[in-house]
Amino acid sequence: MFHIRFAVIVAGLHPKNRCRRSASAICRPRRDAPRLAPAPPFLAISRTRSRSDPVSLATLSSRASTPARVGALVSIVSVAGLALAGCADSSSAADGGSSDDTVTMATEPWLGYGPWYIAQDEGYFEDQGVDVDLVSFDTDADGAAALASGRVDIANLATQEVLRLIESGMDLKVVLLLDASRTADAILTDPSITSVEQLAGKEVAFEEGSVSHLLLNDALASAGLTLDDIVPVPMPAAEAATALASGKVPAAVTYEPYISEAAGAGEFTQLYTAAENEGLISDVIVVTQEALDEKPEAIQAVVDAWAPAIDFYDSNTEEAQQIIADNIGSSRDDLVSAFEGVHYYTLEENKTFLGGEYAERIFPLVDEAATSAGIVEGKTEDLGGLVDTQFVE
């Protein structure tokens, strides 16, 4: 049996997003357990995925988000080492990495990664001969830092975050396409703005360096505009929705559940969604080359567990959504619109899509958009060579 260890890390998560496992969990959070500091500014350039925080627009707490260029890989490694040191009870984290028959995976409380909870709860990992615990971080940046440090072998990451790590010098492969946002990310406007062209000269609230940044840049480009043509109002996506609802800005880029919350707070229009350019906001599984070389069979077992998890979601949707909602710390009712706005890719779709549409269109699309938005320094060469389809064939 392969042992896939997902040590649970409390990394600034909402209390409901903490470890829900029983005594078998490696690092069980306690009420008095220390919370880890969030990623420093140079790492805080990705989507903050704690989308499920069950709070209203009126009570959303401030989350620092400082835009920055790519930091040195050595800095990422140092931060990751400090972050994972906070989970003293975790055997895999404490010993500096996983053994040959163990794979560690970084995940987050984002519903796009929810099928892994289904695989765990329904026994699909066990069916594949793997023993699973979850490693949960609050942001892509924190999970990426753990991957860079060698503390995890696999990570669930947004595509633009993968590009950032590759640009930093990491040897990674994309092995599975998980999901793509369709209407779960959107530009919202008040009645004064009815077209993308009308964003020119207007204040727009969005989180710099994030998927919201990507979406805004894409929308402006479709209208022949650039970020220089608007008045950027940088803030986290949750606060962007609040700023729009309170009338502080006429436009904001945000995501679910904040889109639904904003819709309930006033007359707002979804001016542009991720569905306009599907794949721009997408998530994948990435694996270090070292892990690919040392434990390919264990990685295959993890990928194989994705198929029955998606089948379960499709055939028992309400129950599946409840499993995901419970594990990311929200109610299913609050996430209905969010689920509708996300597409999960099946393993069968991956057989043709990962090496085809994703490698040939989506990866270059995100690379170009991330470069244009300043999230990465320059275009990455041979993107197709970074996609490894052997585990989905």
Side-chain angles (χ1 to χ4, degrees):
M1 174 180 287
F2 302 109
H3 298 282
I4 313 292
R5 307 294 295 197
F6 294 67
V8 179
I9 310 295
V10 183
L13 299 181
H14 186 279
K16 287 190 177 182
N17 288 333
R18 294 185 181 181
C19 175
R20 292 178 171 271
R21 296 182 58 77
S22 62
S24 62
I26 299 175
C27 180
R28 289 169 292 149
R30 308 178 307 274
R31 285 186 177 274
D32 59 345
R35 290 182 175 231
L36 304 183
F42 72 85
L43 284 178
I45 65 169
S46 62
R47 165 169 21 208
T48 300
R49 291 191 183 275
S50 52
R51 298 180 166 191
S52 60
D53 292 2
V55 291
S56 67
L57 288 174
T59 59
L60 289 171
S61 60
S62 174
R63 292 177 180 143
S65 176
T66 304
R69 293 286 187 173
V70 178
L73 182 60
V74 64
S75 298
I76 298 175
V77 172
S78 299
V79 171
L82 289 173
L84 282 136
C87 186
D89 293 337
S90 171
S91 59
S92 60
D95 63 16
S98 59
S99 62
D100 289 345
D101 64 349
T102 301
V103 174
T104 54
M105 177 189 283
T107 188
E108 302 166 35
W110 157 234
L111 61 86
Y113 307 153
W116 296 125
Y117 297 115
I118 296 173
Q120 182 184 56
D121 283 17
E122 295 301 310
Y124 300 138
F125 288 120
E126 184 178 357
D127 291 345
Q128 296 298 327
V130 298
D131 184 18
V132 177
D133 289 304
L134 293 175
V135 179
S136 188
F137 296 92
D138 196 32
T139 66
D140 269 356
D142 293 330
L147 190 70
S149 74
R151 294 300 185 101
V152 298
D153 305 302
I154 297 178
N156 297 267
L157 294 174
T159 297
Q160 91 276 358
E161 184 68 17
V162 177
L163 290 167
R164 191 181 73 84
L165 288 180
I166 290 169
E167 189 174 80
S168 295
M170 287 197 68
D171 193 0
L172 301 173
K173 288 291 189 294
V174 175
V175 300
L176 182 67
L177 177 60
L178 302 175
D179 67 87
S181 175
R182 289 176 172 170
T183 57
D185 292 79
I187 300 175
L188 305 180
T189 61
D190 67 19
S192 70
I193 299 173
T194 59
S195 69
V196 175
E197 289 81 2
Q198 290 178 347
L199 290 174
K202 301 295 177 59
E203 291 184 317
V204 181
F206 68 99
E207 184 173 353
E208 291 185 308
S210 70
V211 292
S212 294
H213 195 157
L214 282 183
L215 184 64
L216 176 59
N217 190 76
D218 189 66
L220 293 172
S222 73
L225 302 174
T226 70
L227 291 168
D228 291 334
D229 294 311
I230 65 167
V231 180
V233 183
M235 64 181 67
E239 294 180 16
T242 305
L244 177 66
S246 63
K248 293 180 179 179
V249 296
V253 191
T254 189
Y255 42 66
E256 292 287 6
Y258 308 123
I259 292 173
S260 296
E261 290 179 350
E267 296 289 331
F268 302 115
T269 299
Q270 289 192 23
L271 187 69
Y272 195 91
T273 72
E276 301 285 348
N277 204 347
E278 185 168 332
L280 179 69
I281 300 178
S282 54
D283 297 288
V284 296
I285 281 287
V286 291
V287 184
T288 62
Q289 187 60 52
E290 182 179 2
L292 285 174
D293 293 338
E294 294 181 354
K295 39 194 128 179
E297 293 180 350
I299 292 169
Q300 183 68 69
V302 174
V303 173
D304 287 346
W306 183 259
I310 298 301
D311 288 343
F312 183 88
Y313 183 91
D314 290 340
S315 59
N316 303 276
T317 303
E318 290 189 9
E319 183 179 354
Q321 290 178 350
Q322 189 62 59
I323 290 172
I324 294 171
D326 287 344
N327 277 279
I328 67 174
S330 188
S331 71
R332 176 182 170 275
D333 291 343
D334 291 339
L335 295 175
V336 170
S337 294
F339 279 117
E340 292 174 350
V342 174
H343 173 68
Y344 293 119
Y345 288 95
T346 66
L347 203 54
E348 191 64 29
E349 286 176 312
N350 267 270
K351 289 180 180 180
T352 56
F353 205 85
L354 181 63
E357 178 79 356
Y358 182 81
E360 296 171 3
R361 185 188 74 84
I362 293 178
F363 218 171
L365 167 70
V366 177
D367 184 46
E368 181 178 356
T371 301
S372 175
I375 295 173
V376 294
E377 294 286 355
K379 292 185 177 180
T380 304
E381 297 181 0
D382 189 24
L383 290 171
L386 301 174
V387 176
D388 190 336
T389 62
Q390 66 173 303
F391 300 102
V392 300
E393 293 174 345

